[in-house]
Amino acid sequence: MKNSILYFGFILLIGFSSHAQSKIGKAEESLKKNETSTKNSKTSYSEGENNNDSEGSFFTEVFGGLFVEVFVQAFAYTVYGIAIESPFEQGHQASNAYLSKYPYYKLNTGNYTYEWNEDTPIFRTSLSARYISENSRLKGSQLNLDMRFLKRVELELDYLQLWEHNPNFGNDNLAIYTALAKYHRVRTEKFDAWWGLGTSYIDGSLDRFGFAYGLGAELFFAKPISLEANFNQTFINDDTVNKLNGLINYHLNTYKLIFGYQHLRIGNQNFSTVTLGAGIFLD
C-alpha cells in the first residue's frame, strides 16, 4: 500500500512539472532540441558531397553545356514572369499603377490607383499597433512599420511581444523581430498582393536569427472595409516559427481600425489569438 501511494505521488509530480512549464517555454525548448539534429544533418551532407560531384560531372559530359544554358535561361525567364511581371501584363493599367495617398482616398481605390494627380505620393509610410490575447494568461502586442516606395517595393519592420503568466511556473516572455523586403506583385485598384524575403530574430532564451519569407494580400471590396490576409514563416534550426493573420480593416481617412485573428506556431506549440488595434497612414 505504501509503495502504491509513493508511485501515485511520483506520477502526480511528473504531471505537475509538465503542466507547470509555460507554453512559451515549451515552444522555445522545441526549437532548441532541433539544433543538435541540424548539426548532425550538416555533417552527413558534407560526407556525401564527393559522390554528388562525380554524378554532376557525368551529367555535364553527357548532355553538354548548351542544354544546361538553355534550361537555366528558360527557368530564369519563367521565374521572373511569375515573381515580377510577365510580358502579357505590361500593357495593363496595373503595370503602372500609382500608390494612393491612403486606402479609399478615392471612392473605389485601395492601396493603388490608375490615375496620377498632384496628391500622388512617391513614398508612403503606415504604422499600426495591435493587442493580442489567447486567454487570461497569455497576452501580447504587435507593432508594425511599413514603408512603400518606387510603386512596387516595401520595407516592413515588425515587432511581436508575447507575455505569459503561469500560476505554477511564473512569468515568461518571448519577442520576435522581423524585417522583410516586399515586392507587390499584383497592383489593382481593388486588390493587391505581395511576397517578401528577410529575416527574423527570436529574442528569449533561444536568441537566434532565421531566414524568413512572407506572402500577403488585401481586398478592398466596399468602402470603408478591406479584408487582409498574410503569412510569415521563419526557419530556426530544423523547425519553424509561423505567423498567420486574417484581418478586417475599417478605414477612416488616414486612420484604420483593425480586428481579426492571428495564429502562431512556435516550434511545436500553437497559439490561437484574437487581435485588435489601430493604424495610421503617412506620406
Side-chain angles (χ1 to χ4, degrees):
M1 182 64 179
K2 183 178 180 180
N3 291 337
S4 299
I5 294 175
L6 290 174
Y7 177 75
F8 183 70
F10 179 71
I11 295 297
L12 287 178
L13 181 61
I14 293 177
F16 176 79
S17 299
S18 176
H19 177 73
Q21 187 178 12
S22 71
K23 197 172 181 180
I24 290 177
K26 291 178 182 178
E28 291 183 300
E29 285 299 321
S30 69
L31 293 175
K32 289 179 182 178
K33 287 179 180 178
N34 289 308
E35 190 169 7
T36 303
S37 61
T38 300
K39 293 178 181 178
N40 293 336
S41 64
K42 287 181 179 179
T43 303
S44 300
Y45 175 78
S46 62
E47 291 174 353
E49 279 185 339
N50 293 333
N51 294 332
N52 292 336
D53 290 342
S54 61
E55 292 175 1
S57 300
F58 175 76
F59 179 86
T60 303
E61 291 175 2
V62 173
F63 293 98
L66 179 61
F67 175 81
V68 174
E69 183 178 353
V70 172
F71 176 79
V72 169
Q73 290 180 354
F75 180 77
Y77 184 81
T78 303
V79 170
Y80 180 87
I82 294 174
I84 307 300
E85 188 174 58
S86 68
F88 308 103
E89 298 173 278
Q90 293 177 359
H92 192 274
Q93 288 178 301
S95 180
N96 295 309
Y98 304 97
L99 279 172
S100 61
K101 193 170 184 179
Y102 52 84
Y104 293 119
Y105 177 65
K106 291 187 176 180
L107 181 61
N108 296 315
T109 62
N111 287 315
Y112 288 91
T113 177
Y114 298 149
E115 299 179 3
W116 183 90
N117 56 61
E118 295 180 354
D119 294 328
T120 299
I122 299 175
F123 180 88
R124 194 186 80 181
T125 303
S126 63
L127 178 66
S128 66
R130 290 190 283 125
Y131 168 76
I132 299 166
S133 176
E134 183 179 54
N135 50 49
S136 60
R137 295 187 301 178
L138 197 146
K139 309 289 183 182
S141 64
Q142 188 163 6
L143 295 176
N144 186 277
L145 176 66
D146 288 329
M147 294 171 284
R148 297 197 189 197
F149 50 95
L150 300 177
K151 299 180 182 179
R152 308 181 181 194
V153 183
E154 179 180 349
L155 175 63
E156 179 188 59
L157 302 177
D158 187 87
Y159 166 65
L160 172 65
Q161 177 72 60
L162 297 176
W163 297 278
E164 182 178 5
H165 174 70
N166 189 304
N168 300 317
F169 192 72
N171 299 323
D172 207 346
N173 62 83
L174 175 70
I176 303 175
Y177 302 85
T178 303
L180 284 181
K182 297 160 65 174
Y183 178 80
H184 286 264
R185 176 62 179 83
V186 180
R187 304 169 304 280
T188 70
E189 291 187 326
K190 288 186 174 292
F191 178 79
D192 62 271
W194 57 268
W195 58 266
L197 301 175
T199 185
S200 290
Y201 178 71
I202 312 300
D203 185 12
S205 63
L206 187 63
D207 294 333
R208 289 287 186 277
F209 278 100
F211 168 76
Y213 74 92
L215 302 167
E218 189 167 7
L219 174 65
F220 299 86
F221 64 96
K223 186 178 182 178
I225 299 173
S226 68
L227 299 178
E228 181 181 358
N230 57 72
F231 173 77
N232 176 270
Q233 184 173 58
T234 301
F235 296 91
I236 302 292
N237 298 326
D238 280 346
D239 219 321
T240 62
V241 176
N242 302 341
K243 293 186 289 185
L244 175 65
N245 292 291
L247 306 173
I248 300 174
N249 300 316
Y250 188 91
H251 298 273
L252 298 167
N253 296 323
T254 58
Y255 302 94
K256 69 176 179 179
L257 301 177
I258 307 168
F259 311 90
Y261 168 80
Q262 182 176 75
H263 181 268
L264 301 170
R265 180 173 177 84
I266 305 174
N268 62 9
Q269 296 296 305
N270 292 294
F271 303 79
S272 296
T273 68
V274 294
T275 181
L276 57 91
I280 184 172
F281 295 89
L282 307 169
D283 57 13

